[in-house]
Amino acid sequence: METVFTSVRDLSSKAGQEATLIGWVAKFRSSGKIAFLGLRDGTGTVQVVIARNEVDDASWDAVADLSMESSVRVSGTVRQDDRAPGGYEITANQIEVIGRADEYPIQPKEHGVDFLLNNRHLWLRHGRQVAIMRVRDEIVKAIRDFFYERDFVLVDSPILTGSIGESAGTLFSTEYFDLGTAYLAQTGQLYVEAAAAALGKVYCFGPTFRAEKSKTRRHLTEFWMVEPEVAWLDSEGNMRLQEEFVSYIVERVLERRGLELEQLDRDIGRLEAISPPFDRLSYTDAIAFLHGTGVEIEWGEDLGAEHETVLTEGRDKPLFVFDYPREAKAFYMKENPEDPRTVKCNDLLAPEGYGEIIGGSQREDDYDRLLGRIREEGLPEEAYDWYLDLRRHGTFPHSGFGLGLERTVGWICGVPHLRETIAFPRMMTRLTP
Ligand code: NSS
C-alpha cells in the first residue's frame, strides 16, 4: 500500500488546492470553536486551522481527543499566508487520528540532559535535533562527493580486527571463536594503507570504537571517521588536501543547509570565513607560544583541549599544528628526517573552542624503522606482519588522515557536546536507547 499525501516541503505546488497531509502533532491549542495544530512531517511544520463549523462531527471529536505527538491525517485547503512560517497554512475539512499518543514525556520546558538522553528516541523529533541530523546528512554527502570528484575509491575496512590501530589503552575486545581476541576497529587506516598500494587514492568511512574512559564533551565510544589514504603524498600535500576538504564541506553546508544553520542560531559569518589556506604552526612553535601566554606544558607532551583553545583563540580559520614529538603520537608515523625527535604529522584544530577535528600523518615507509617502532610500543609483532609486508613489497611514501564526523558536525552546527551530533550516542555511561 502506498499512501498518497503532500509533504509540508511541497505545499507551494498545492497552493489554493485541496491536499492531504500526514504527520505528528507538534503543537496544539483549541478554544472550543476553533483549533490550531502544528503538523510536523519530517520535511517541515505547517499550521492547520480546524473550525468547528467546517469539519464533520467525527473530525471534531478527534480534535477534542487530540494529544501531543499523536499521528494524524489532515485534508484541507492549502492557503498562502505570508505571516505563516513557511508561507502556507491548511484550512482543514477533515482530520483523522491514526495513532493517539500517550502523555508525551518531553514538555515545552527545560529538561535535564539525562532525561533527554533517556528519551533520545523521542527527543530526535524536536526541531533542533532534526536540523542537526539534516546538517550531518549533508556533511556525509559532501564527504562522499569530494572524494568521488577527485577519483578516490571507497574501500570499506573491517570493524572486527586482529591488530591494534591506535593505542592499546582504548580497545574494545571480544572473544573470536578459536582465534583468540578480536578488537573493534579504532581506525581503518592500516587497511586503507594496503588499499592505497592497489588503487592509489582511497578512503574508508565508517564507525570506529574507542573505550575512552573520559566523560568529556568531545569523546564518544562509537564515532564515525572518514579516512583518506594517498600514495605518493607527503605531509605538506596531506595538509593541503585537508584544508581543501574541510572548506568544501563547509561551503556545501552553507549552500544547502542555510535554513538549518539559522534554526541552530549558528553564526554563519564564522563559517563563511573558512577557505584555504589555513595557518600552520609547528608543535615546537606551539609550545613556545603556549609558554609565552603563561601555560605550563613540557616539550614532548601531547596537546590537550585547553591548549588547543589557547592556540586557536582569535583565529577565524582552523589551525594546523604539525610535526609532534614521536612519543606523543602513534607508532606508524614517519620519522622527521630533519628532526628525528618528531614525526611528520598534523592535527587540525577548529576555531571557536571546538579543537581537534582531524589527525593525520605521513606514514613510516621504512621497514626497519617501522618494525623498531612496533617493538618499542610493545605491540604483538605477529599481528603486524601483513602491515610490514606493505614495506617489503614495493614500499611507497604515503599519507592520510582521519576526520571525526561528530566533531565536524558539532563545529559546523555550533553544538559543543557530541551527544547531540549522532542520533544514538554511545558514551562511557550510556548504551541505551
Ligand atoms: O586518533 S586520531 O587522531 N587519528 C586516527 O585514528 C588515524 N588513524 C587517522 C588516519 O590518519 N587515518 O582520530 C582522528 C579523528 C580525531 O581528530 C577526532 O576528530 C576523531 O577522530 N576522534 C573522536 N571523535 C569522537 N570521539 C572520540 N573518542 C574520538 N577519537 C578521535
Side-chain angles (χ1 to χ4, degrees), residues 155-162 183-188 191-192 204 207-208:
V155 177
D156 300 310
S157 54
I159 285 173
L160 286 168
T161 71
Y183 305 110
L184 293 185
Q186 297 172 315
T187 170
Y191 299 96
V192 283
C204 62
T208 45

Side-chain angles (χ1 to χ4, degrees), residues 139-399:
I139 291 174
V140 170
K141 176 81 167 86
I143 287 171
R144 295 197 184 282
D145 287 351
F146 178 88
F147 290 121
Y148 189 81
E149 285 165 15
R150 282 159 187 75
D151 289 326
F152 282 66
V153 180
L154 173 71
V155 177
D156 300 310
S157 54
I159 285 173
L160 286 168
T161 71
S163 32
I164 304 166
E166 285 297 316
S167 77
T170 58
L171 282 172
F172 283 111
S173 57
T174 179
E175 269 172 49
Y176 197 79
F177 306 105
D178 295 334
L179 296 182
T181 306
Y183 305 110
L184 293 185
Q186 297 172 315
T187 170
Q189 180 196 318
L190 309 194
Y191 299 96
V192 283
E193 283 188 54
L199 292 150
K201 294 192 282 184
V202 296
Y203 73 103
C204 62
F205 189 10
T208 45
F209 305 87
R210 303 216 181 157
E212 303 270 11
K213 292 207 180 66
S214 48
K215 294 182 193 162
T216 78
R217 61 185 176 85
R218 306 208 291 181
H219 289 96
L220 297 169
T221 52
E222 176 175 336
F223 64 97
W224 281 62
M225 182 160 46
V226 54
E227 296 181 88
E229 193 69 32
V230 187
W232 318 114
L233 190 72
D234 66 6
S235 186
E236 279 69 36
N238 197 23
M239 286 191 264
R240 280 196 296 278
L241 183 64
Q242 290 166 50
E243 62 196 1
E244 272 175 37
F245 179 49
V246 167
S247 303
Y248 180 99
I249 294 171
V250 171
E251 193 183 324
R252 171 69 70 83
V253 174
L254 283 170
E255 194 183 292
R256 300 197 189 168
R257 290 287 162 232
L259 192 66
E260 282 76 10
L261 292 177
E262 214 174 285
Q263 286 170 348
L264 293 165
D265 284 328
R266 185 67 172 106
D267 182 348
I268 305 237
R270 301 295 307 241
L271 296 177
E272 282 168 345
I274 309 303
S275 63
F278 300 164
D279 284 343
R280 288 149 167 77
L281 192 64
S282 75
Y283 170 88
T284 301
D285 288 346
I287 295 295
F289 179 86
L290 288 170
H291 286 164
T293 60
V295 175
E296 280 182 34
I297 180 169
E298 291 213 12
W299 194 99
E301 270 177 61
D302 203 0
L303 302 177
E306 65 285 8
H307 306 126
E308 294 176 0
T309 304
V310 176
L311 290 170
T312 51
E313 223 155 53
R315 291 177 188 271
D316 294 336
K317 298 187 194 185
L319 171 72
F320 286 114
V321 179
F322 63 91
D323 293 1
Y324 283 67
R326 57 187 238 156
E327 64 261 37
K329 291 290 175 188
F331 71 96
Y332 51 72
M333 295 183 181
K334 185 179 175 61
E335 183 178 295
N336 183 1
E338 279 150 35
D339 178 3
R341 296 178 308 156
T342 63
V343 284
K344 298 301 293 175
C345 70
N346 74 269
D347 283 357
L348 181 64
L349 315 181
E352 301 174 75
Y354 285 92
E356 182 193 331
I357 54 171
I358 286 182
S361 63
Q362 186 165 344
R363 319 308 189 185
E364 185 55 79
D365 47 25
D366 180 86
Y367 178 87
D368 293 320
R369 270 204 284 268
L370 183 59
L371 180 61
R373 288 291 288 131
I374 288 171
R375 287 185 177 153
E376 254 174 56
E377 296 284 320
L379 294 166
E381 242 170 273
E382 347 50 89
Y384 295 90
D385 210 32
W386 69 268
Y387 184 62
L388 284 158
D389 253 359
L390 307 176
R391 281 73 181 167
R392 274 191 211 108
H393 301 286
T395 196
F396 59 114
H398 58 289
S399 301

